[in-house]
Every structure is written in C-alpha cells, then in structure tokens.
Amino acid sequence: MQYLTLVPYFIILAGVGLSYAGILPAMKGWMLSALGVLSGLGVSIAIAFTGRSDLLWAAVFAVLPSMIAIPKVIRDLRYPRINDVATNVEHPSAFVAALQAAPNTGRDMSFPEKNGPIIREAYPNVCPLILDESLEQVFRRIEPLAKIQPGWVITRRDAKAHTLEGEATTSFFRFVDDFIIHVSDQEGKALINMRSKSRDGLVDAGANAKRIQRFFEQVEKFKETGGLPHVEG
C-alpha cells in the first residue's frame, strides 16, 4: 500500500508538466493536479483505516500535498469572485488585440459593471497612477518596463493612442491573462490606467489586482532610479 503514496505526486506533476508543455490547457492541468491532491488525501485516509502504525509515515507522505494546497485555497477564497480588474471602472480600456486571440473567441471581453463596486471595496489601492511628467515621457518608459516583466508579451502598441496591450503567462500552469495599459494627459500630467483580465476561471485569487499594483510600483521606481528596476520572475 505504501507505493500508492507516490500516485498523488505523479498526478500532480503530470498536471503541472503537461500544462507547462502546452499539451493540456492550463485549467485542465490545474484540475488534474487538484485531483492528485485529493487522491493523496484519500490514500492517507485509507492507510489510517488499516490501523497499521508502521504505515504512519506513508499516510503523512500522502497527505502532504493537501497540507500545502488546502491552506492556499482557503487564503484564495478571501479574494472577491471576479477575474477582470481595472483602475478606471467607469471607463475601462477596451481590448483590441485580445479579441483576435483564439482562446477569446466567443468570449464577452467587455468589463462587467458589477466589478466596479467590488474593486473599490476589495482593492482600494487599485486606482489610476498620476505622474508629474508628460504622457510621452511616461509612455516611452512603460514600454521597456512592460517588456521585461516575466511572462509578459506585448501584442499591440499604439503610439498615437499611447496604449500597450499584451498577455501575461503564469509560471506553472501557464494560465494566460490579457492586460492593457493606457496613458493619457491630465492637466499636463500623465495619467496611467491599466486593466487585467483572466482567460480561465471565474476567480483570479487577486492575481490581476496584484499585477496592476506591482507594475505601477515599478513605474514609480523606474522614475526615481532613471533605469529599469530589477524584476524577479
């Protein structure tokens, strides 16, 4: 029976590996790994019912993925059930390049009005960034900064509209989120708005809001240092 304790790990690794390699869609890879976690819990319970004290180590080994994953799931449940976050909820930027991506075919890419109040309450720090610079200066700065973000790919650059659009891919399961950054003029200052939307799932565990906050922090740091900040993967 102790050999069954390896099964959950094989299932989890298969989910991560197959989605990372692009063989499985990200959501299916995540679901396969979740199945591996649950199977480990099942194996642990089955071992416990045998009453064999010599297999206690096997039960602990089998349940270990659950001990790691379940607290994370509980933490993620604290985030609001949305997957589309924008700094300007009244007039959010509209996607253009993202509409041409095959995974978005048939999807409603408009910003849900119901998200506005939720974002204001849950993410009060997700708001437009105002810099005392010209919009041209800021737009020239955010483009190279966006290009060095881990997993980011720029899919559209509109210099006239001062807009960047792209895709952000996560490290493990290769989930893809669409984002758009727009710079406008506000009484001689640069006003930066950003929107980030997940392609999979109805919830994002705060990923989109965190993406916007991290990027804005780097934009401000970039201004202070005059060079590209170090960005960790």
Side-chain angles (χ1 to χ4, degrees):
M1 178 172 284
Q2 56 265 40
Y3 294 109
L4 289 177
T5 61
L6 297 175
V7 173
Y9 291 89
F10 283 127
I11 297 175
I12 293 169
L13 290 175
V16 175
L18 292 175
S19 59
Y20 186 86
I23 298 173
L24 275 182
M27 182 56 71
K28 289 185 177 181
W30 181 89
M31 292 175 66
L32 181 60
S33 291
L35 177 62
V37 171
L38 293 176
S39 69
L41 185 60
V43 169
S44 179
I45 293 174
I47 293 175
F49 271 112
T50 65
R52 292 179 55 182
S53 58
D54 60 314
L55 291 179
L56 178 62
W57 66 269
V60 174
F61 185 68
V63 82
L64 186 59
S66 299
M67 295 172 63
I68 297 173
I70 291 177
K72 183 181 185 308
V73 170
I74 294 174
R75 289 195 302 269
D76 290 347
L77 290 175
R78 296 180 301 176
Y79 292 99
R81 297 178 63 81
I82 59 176
N83 69 353
D84 193 345
V85 177
T87 54
N88 185 344
V89 296
E90 285 83 13
H91 303 286
S93 300
F95 289 110
V96 176
L99 299 178
Q100 310 305 316
N104 289 329
T105 301
R107 292 186 68 207
D108 181 5
M109 297 296 287
S110 61
F111 184 78
E113 290 186 13
K114 66 178 181 65
N115 286 14
I118 298 174
I119 293 169
R120 291 193 188 96
E121 181 179 353
Y123 307 119
N125 294 326
V126 174
C127 55
L129 176 63
I130 302 176
L131 298 176
D132 190 10
E133 299 175 78
S134 70
L135 66 90
E136 294 289 351
Q137 286 179 301
V138 172
F139 185 69
R140 285 196 299 269
R141 189 160 78 244
I142 66 171
E143 184 174 7
L145 183 57
K147 288 181 177 179
I148 66 170
Q149 300 299 310
W152 285 27
V153 175
I154 303 302
T155 56
R156 171 179 166 244
R157 178 185 186 276
D158 189 336
K160 186 176 181 180
H162 302 97
T163 301
L164 287 179
E165 194 171 343
E167 300 173 351
T169 304
T170 62
S171 301
F172 288 102
F173 292 102
R174 313 299 286 175
F175 282 105
V176 178
D177 299 337
D178 295 295
F179 68 86
I180 183 168
I181 306 167
H182 175 66
V183 187
S184 58
D185 178 79
Q186 180 172 290
E187 300 178 352
K189 297 182 180 180
L191 176 69
I192 310 175
N193 276 292
M194 184 171 176
R195 178 184 172 193
S196 185
K197 178 180 177 64
S198 302
R199 289 185 182 176
D200 295 288
L202 300 176
V203 295
D204 64 2
N208 289 298
K210 292 174 184 177
R211 177 175 296 113
I212 293 172
Q213 290 175 306
R214 283 195 301 265
F215 185 70
F216 278 10
E217 289 172 359
Q218 291 174 23
V219 170
E220 291 185 292
K221 184 176 181 180
F222 189 2
K223 177 186 177 182
E224 295 172 359
T225 62
L228 289 174
H230 174 68
V231 179
E232 295 183 357

